[in-house]
């Protein structure tokens, strides 16, 4: 029999669920992760903690279900969507993940609106979303502007992908 593994990586933690081929729930495992909230109200998660918790939850759910991991035919993943994190080329996080409800990029969005009045319309036309600290582009721009070394890492990554000159 083939099985389906569901992974729900949410704001509060990670859930792994195993279903049989008929959709019957066989096992579930949960791993909570820390909510890192600064004195400014910024909300973060540790991406390494999330990764480790995901591996633990998956292993526990498969073991609880009593199935061979090689019998998993497919995996469905649900995540926090707007939570954003940047990684180095070797897979290390540049900083903690900026959680979806964190508004730290508000000033950056306001600055763009002020300095580039056409930006709001352009972003909306090209992406279908508004210029907002909620969405990942603003969070990643904030990382590039505020995390020491992030901009140079991004430039090195871009240069590395171009190849030899």
């Amino acid at each position: 029999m083939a099985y389906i593994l569901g992974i729900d990586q949410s704001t509060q933690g990670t859930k792994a669920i195993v279903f049989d081929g008929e959709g019957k729930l066989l096992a579930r495992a949960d791993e909570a992760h820390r909510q890192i909230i600064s004195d400014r109200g910024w909300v973060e998660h540790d991406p390494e903690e999330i990764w480790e918790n995901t591996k633990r939850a998956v292993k526990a759910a498969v073991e609880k279900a009593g199935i061979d991991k090689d019998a998993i035919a497919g995996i469905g993943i649900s995540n926090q969507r707007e939570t954003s994190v940047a990684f180095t080329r070797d897979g290390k996080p540049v900083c903690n993940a900026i959680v979806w409800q964190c508004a730290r990029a508000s000033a950056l969005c306001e600055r763009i609106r002020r300095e580039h009045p056409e930006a709001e319309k352009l972003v909306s036309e090209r992406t279908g979303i508004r210029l907002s600290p909620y969405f990942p582009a603003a969070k990643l721009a904030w990382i590039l502007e505020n995390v020491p070394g992030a901009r140079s890492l991004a430039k090195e990554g871009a240069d590395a992908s171009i190849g030899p000159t």
Side-chain angles (χ1 to χ4, degrees), residues 151-164:
R151 188 168 297 280
S152 62
L153 283 169
K155 182 165 176 18
E156 289 170 19
D159 290 347
S161 66
I162 294 170

Side-chain angles (χ1 to χ4, degrees), residues 94-108:
V94 173
C95 59
N96 280 336
I98 301 174
V99 177
W100 61 269
Q101 76 259 40
C102 185
R104 72 181 67 186
S106 293
L108 183 141

